[in-house]
Amino acid sequence: MKRRIGIDVGGTNTDAVYLEDTRVVHAVKTPTTRDVTSGVTDALRKLLQAGAPKTVDAVMIGTTHFTNAVVQRRDLTRVAAIRIGLPSGASLPPFIDWSEDLAALVRGEVVMLEGGHEFDGRPLVPLDTAGVRAAARRIRAAGLMSVGVASVFSPLNAACELEAAAILREECPDVAVTLSHQLGRIGLLERENAALLNAALVGLARTTTRAFTDALAASGITAPLYLTQNDGAVMLASVAEAFPVYGFASGPTNSMRGAAFLSKLTDALVIDVGGTTTDIGSLRHGFPREANNVVEIGGVRTLFRMPDLLSIGLGGGSLVARAPLTVGPRSVGYRLVEEGLVFGGGALTAPTSQWPRASSISATDGVSRRCRPSS
Amino acid sequence: MALRPVSAAEIESLAIGAWILGTGGGGSPYLALLNMRKLYREGVVCSLLDPMDLADDARVAVVSNMGAPLVGQERLTDPQTIARAVRMMEEYRGSRFDAIMSLEIGGGNSLQPFMAAAVLGLPVVDADCMGRAFPEAQMTSFAIHDLTMYPLTLADVRDNAVVVARAASWKWMERLSRKACVEVGSIASTCKAPRTGKEVKECAILYSTSKAIRLGQTVQDAQRRHQDPVHALVDAERGRLLFRGKIRDVARRTTEGFLRGTAKLDGLDDYRGSSFELAFQNEFAVGWLDGRPRVMTPDLICVLDSVSGDAIGTETLRYGQRVSVIALPAPPVLLTPKGLEHVGPRAFGYDLEFKSVFA
């Protein structure tokens, strides 16, 4: 018998289940906490209290943390972009099609250097190694901690990216390096975007996966820790730490796989109303239908293999601003219980279906205070 | 000369309209559009020239990017490269150009003359020589009119430059320039045989740039009003809605430098119970309704997203997409007996007698 613990850390709630093979034996729900660790620790404690064993085959965690960071422009690391491919592509530098607010948060150094390959494997021009070294020194001087490297046709020949990484390790060994060929396919801008997003998230990924590891240790549970990936498969926590974008869409994937599991339906539309976003996806043969072309994340074009999803920055915790009147995309997230007006806090959040007189909320706060979401 | 400035909004519309006129091919205008947005942010404003205002002896450059769209996704298009091909032709011929026009209004090449014009400060002629997209060099109105096919200049991002001084035929020009293009990485900027104002007025497909802009605006207007962009397009352009359905199967193969294949559709709405099959060689060539030929090249066969009205390229077709197949009228020159020899169904290997859906 396979014994597994599955945890879904949403922006608002943390859900944990204990499974014996395909049977859900225990299920608990706790609010997500700012430090993540205590929320997961709480969930695990509740699960153990409910009767789950401390020795299991695996613990799997899915989280919307990374996608929420980009959607809400929070907890992002400023990165250096190194593009290798001049004299090709000079007119379209890294970050070219990013929304300006996101680019302003993420863009540190932008360096374009000679190098790259042809589609048949020949070098485009020799790699400017002196340029890479000079860039590495500037990155160190600027105090940047994360770098994204993209070279022309690197999915076919990664030599330039690998050589740049080796030089970066020599010159600034503490800097995290994301290489585009490890993340994407043909399509330089989209692959570079993936590398830059990943680079912007590695700081958050490190704290988050370590928080998960700590929570597990604190609960006395011994089992390998996995994080779920965009396509519904899992990866070791150490992989997730280096490649947070692999788990980018794991939140909706988890809920879609979960919906298939619980409903026993294999072909259905799944609408997941979370605290921060509402995601609509389509199940086919029990798995999310994948978008096999361009996927935009927080306004950035990528080519990830991801569920074909309509994601709206609107959930139960979305903040309502009055002038001008907007709802979301910022959310009180896990602070819903402390800050949400419906729970007696001060923040006006988006109506949920549990609010019978949602339309009157902006007029009379008293109405909304009497209503409580049921979950 | 009647010159008018082209606004940034019109450039956006042009990219949408040109992708529709690409009839599945021509490459996405996305990267060229990014270049144009950047140039406009830097203060560039291109101008569009009425072709009938060209002097008979005006010198017009005909430009296009040549190569594999896949390579273009890595070797991002750059205004300087296409401008270099134009300058090279000026040096070779020892004379300056007065204006620039597109070889092909369908797809990414619709924006290449604008990119060159932005660098060189020349006007763009409101014309092209396909009125859509086609895969081969002899499939142009200039070839149908038996104009000379040489010289041709070809520029690479490195300091490589090739001039094809003469070619024995359009087919030879295709072979010689294709070879050079493959050597420099299967992407190159080219300036085709220069044209006189008279040749453009008599042999080009006129006002196709403004047509592409108009198509894009029609789709954008309908999107803004939450109306059906497909119907809006069909009404505005006197096109035909041929089918609405869902893609059931796509088969693609890359052979001899072309993307060939078929797509099968199951009907929805009024077309429920029917099926449609499309064959393509870069562009959509023939469509069969319930097994009978319904539409064929050179009528423009456009596959649009049924909801957004945006064009779908042959490389981005996929299972489950809800699409509408429409036909738009072809430029008259393509429908002449000579035109059909160059671009009719037999030119693509289909043993079909051309019959227009508009006949």
Side-chain angles (χ1 to χ4, degrees):
Chain A
M1 184 177 64
K2 282 257 185 227
R3 298 167 174 197
R4 286 172 294 189
I5 290 173
I7 305 171
D8 180 50
V9 185
T12 313
N13 283 313
T14 297
D15 293 271
V17 293
Y18 168 63
L19 288 156
E20 290 181 350
D21 288 329
T22 56
R23 194 167 64 92
V24 180
V25 183
H26 304 292
V28 299
K29 184 187 281 287
T30 60
T32 298
T33 54
R34 169 140 190 89
D35 63 353
V36 180
T37 318
S38 44
V40 174
T41 312
D42 282 352
L44 287 170
R45 197 185 51 241
K46 277 190 165 181
L47 207 56
L48 294 176
Q49 280 167 2
K54 280 193 174 178
T55 306
V56 291
D57 294 299
V59 176
M60 283 118 169
I61 298 185
T63 178
T64 52
H65 239 61
F66 306 126
T67 188
N68 287 349
V70 174
V71 172
Q72 301 182 41
R73 277 81 165 119
R74 277 181 181 172
D75 300 322
L76 299 170
T77 306
R78 193 169 288 281
V79 308
I82 298 182
R83 159 93 66 81
I84 300 168
L86 289 183
S88 175
S91 63
L92 300 177
F95 298 104
I96 181 75
D97 198 20
W98 287 42
S99 54
E100 200 34 60
D101 65 326
L102 184 60
L105 284 175
V106 175
R107 184 169 45 210
E109 292 275 330
V110 173
V111 185
M112 295 172 80
L113 299 167
E114 292 195 347
H117 285 83
E118 302 269 26
F119 75 99
D120 56 5
R122 289 176 295 161
L124 189 66
V125 290
L127 174 64
D128 177 6
T129 49
V132 178
R133 201 166 291 278
R137 288 177 184 160
R138 268 211 308 287
I139 288 162
R140 191 178 56 199
L144 295 168
M145 291 313 291
S146 189
V147 185
V149 185
S151 171
V152 169
F153 274 117
S154 64
L156 303 185
N157 189 331
C160 288
E161 290 186 2
L162 293 171
E163 198 169 341
I167 294 170
L168 285 162
R169 268 197 302 277
E170 284 168 26
E171 297 291 339
C172 34
D174 298 333
V175 167
V177 178
T178 304
L179 304 180
S180 81
H181 76 274
Q182 295 172 313
L183 286 171
R185 297 171 279 166
I186 299 297
L188 176 63
L189 276 190
E190 292 80 4
R191 188 173 70 249
E192 178 177 81
N193 287 345
L196 295 174
L197 277 177
N198 194 73
L201 287 167
V202 287
L204 180 64
R206 195 173 297 153
T207 26
T208 308
T209 51
R210 289 187 186 165
F212 292 157
T213 316
D214 292 349
L216 221 59
S219 313
I221 292 171
T222 48
L225 174 65
Y226 296 91
L227 266 74
T228 56
Q229 295 191 52
N230 301 332
D231 59 3
V234 294
M235 59 183 158
L236 275 170
S238 56
V239 177
E241 203 172 308
F243 298 109
V245 288
Y246 280 158
F248 214 99
S250 68
T253 301
N254 286 349
S255 65
M256 290 177 70
R257 290 280 297 136
F261 178 81
L262 294 172
S263 68
K264 312 259 188 276
L265 294 174
T266 54
D267 295 85
L269 280 181
V270 180
I271 302 173
D272 177 7
V273 184
T276 307
T277 60
T278 292
D279 302 308
I280 306 164
S282 170
L283 275 176
R284 244 165 238 288
H285 313 300
F287 278 87
R289 186 181 73 192
E290 286 192 352
N292 57 1
N293 199 24
V294 170
V295 180
E296 285 206 3
I297 298 158
V300 181
R301 267 167 79 103
T302 66
L303 293 172
F304 290 123
R305 291 186 71 75
M306 288 243 201
D308 192 358
L309 215 63
L310 186 64
S311 193
I312 305 162
L314 183 61
S318 291
L319 280 165
V320 179
R322 288 171 198 256
L325 184 64
T326 54
V327 185
R330 287 185 75 91
S331 163
V332 294
Y334 59 82
R335 299 186 312 279
L336 180 60
V337 180
E338 299 144 42
E339 295 185 10
L341 200 55
V342 280
F343 287 99
L348 183 57
T349 59
T352 69
S353 58
Q354 288 85 4
W355 293 5
R357 294 177 63 189
S359 59
S360 60
I361 282 165
S362 57
T364 52
D365 290 351
V367 171
S368 60
R369 281 179 198 279
R370 283 196 298 275
C371 308
R372 294 286 186 275
S374 62
S375 62
Chain B
M1 289 202 297
L3 272 179
R4 69 169 191 85
V6 179
S7 70
E10 286 178 303
I11 296 285
E12 299 286 331
S13 306
L14 173 58
I16 295 169
W19 195 209
I20 294 169
L21 291 174
T23 63
S28 161
Y30 171 67
L31 292 168
L33 177 63
L34 288 189
N35 274 295
M36 290 309 300
R37 282 181 188 161
K38 182 161 171 258
L39 288 163
Y40 268 64
R41 277 200 301 272
E42 291 163 1
V44 164
V45 178
C46 291
S47 48
L48 196 61
L49 175 66
D50 187 322
M52 294 319 281
D53 289 334
L54 281 167
D56 281 355
D57 60 351
R59 289 169 296 245
V60 179
V62 182
V63 298
S64 79
N65 237 23
M66 181 172 181
L70 181 90
V71 176
Q73 288 177 37
E74 289 286 318
R75 303 256 306 258
L76 314 178
T77 184
D78 185 328
Q80 294 296 337
T81 324
I82 194 75
R84 204 152 62 240
V86 176
R87 283 204 192 100
M88 207 194 306
M89 184 63 85
E90 289 184 330
E91 280 163 30
Y92 178 69
R93 301 242 303 178
S95 62
R96 292 291 196 180
F97 282 114
D98 300 306
I100 306 180
M101 67 177 273
S102 175
L103 175 85
E104 172 181 52
I105 197 64
N109 274 330
S110 59
L111 288 169
Q112 289 294 332
F114 285 89
M115 285 165 57
V119 176
L120 300 168
L122 290 172
V124 175
V125 182
D126 189 353
D128 78 315
C129 57
M130 291 182 175
R132 45 170 296 165
F134 278 125
E136 294 178 49
Q138 74 282 4
M139 296 177 168
T140 68
S141 60
F142 294 152
I144 293 166
H145 281 99
D146 287 324
L147 301 187
T148 357
M149 66 295 296
Y150 56 82
L152 172 145
T153 56
L154 182 147
D156 170 39
V157 284
R158 291 152 294 200
D159 200 14
N160 296 314
V162 176
V163 179
V164 181
R166 291 187 74 87
S169 65
W170 283 95
K171 208 77 204 177
W172 271 109
M173 176 53 87
E174 167 74 24
R175 288 177 69 172
L176 295 171
S177 54
R178 188 69 60 184
K179 200 82 179 171
C181 175
V182 169
E183 271 312 298
V184 297
S186 278
I187 198 90
S189 294
T190 59
C191 184
K192 313 288 187 195
R195 298 297 166 209
T196 63
K198 188 168 191 290
E199 286 174 327
V200 171
K201 284 183 279 188
E202 290 175 358
C203 308
I205 291 160
L206 305 181
Y207 307 111
S208 52
T209 311
S210 44
K211 177 178 177 175
I213 294 172
R214 194 178 68 222
L215 256 68
Q217 287 169 339
T218 301
V219 170
Q220 289 171 306
D221 284 349
Q223 286 172 345
R224 262 195 296 272
R225 293 170 199 207
H226 300 289
Q227 289 167 350
D228 179 353
V230 177
H231 272 129
L233 199 61
V234 167
D235 289 348
E237 297 300 321
R238 278 164 300 172
R240 285 281 154 76
L241 175 64
L242 303 179
F243 199 72
R244 261 183 204 269
K246 195 172 84 167
I247 297 179
R248 168 162 53 92
D249 191 27
V250 184
R252 263 188 286 259
R253 59 189 193 283
T254 306
T255 51
E256 299 149 46
F258 296 113
L259 184 66
R260 291 192 165 92
T262 55
K264 294 183 175 128
L265 285 68
D266 286 333
L268 290 172
D269 307 331
D270 295 347
Y271 300 89
R272 203 170 279 278
S274 286
S275 67
F276 204 88
E277 185 168 344
L278 286 156
F280 51 87
Q281 174 184 337
N282 291 7
E283 291 78 30
F284 297 109
V286 182
W288 292 266
L289 177 63
D290 293 325
R292 276 192 301 280
R294 176 74 180 96
V295 62
M296 59 193 82
T297 170
D299 280 352
L300 278 68
I301 307 169
C302 310
V303 176
L304 310 176
D305 181 305
S306 288
V307 176
S308 72
D310 289 320
I312 296 174
T314 49
E315 74 272 25
T316 48
L317 289 168
R318 65 179 162 85
Y319 173 81
Q321 280 171 334
R322 280 157 167 76
V323 300
S324 297
V325 183
I326 68 167
L328 296 177
V333 62
L334 304 182
L335 302 174
T336 60
K338 188 89 189 293
L340 290 173
E341 271 174 40
H342 285 254
V343 298
R346 289 205 168 87
F348 291 85
Y350 298 97
D351 191 19
L352 294 168
E353 201 58 48
F354 175 72
K355 188 167 169 290
S356 173
V357 298
F358 301 101

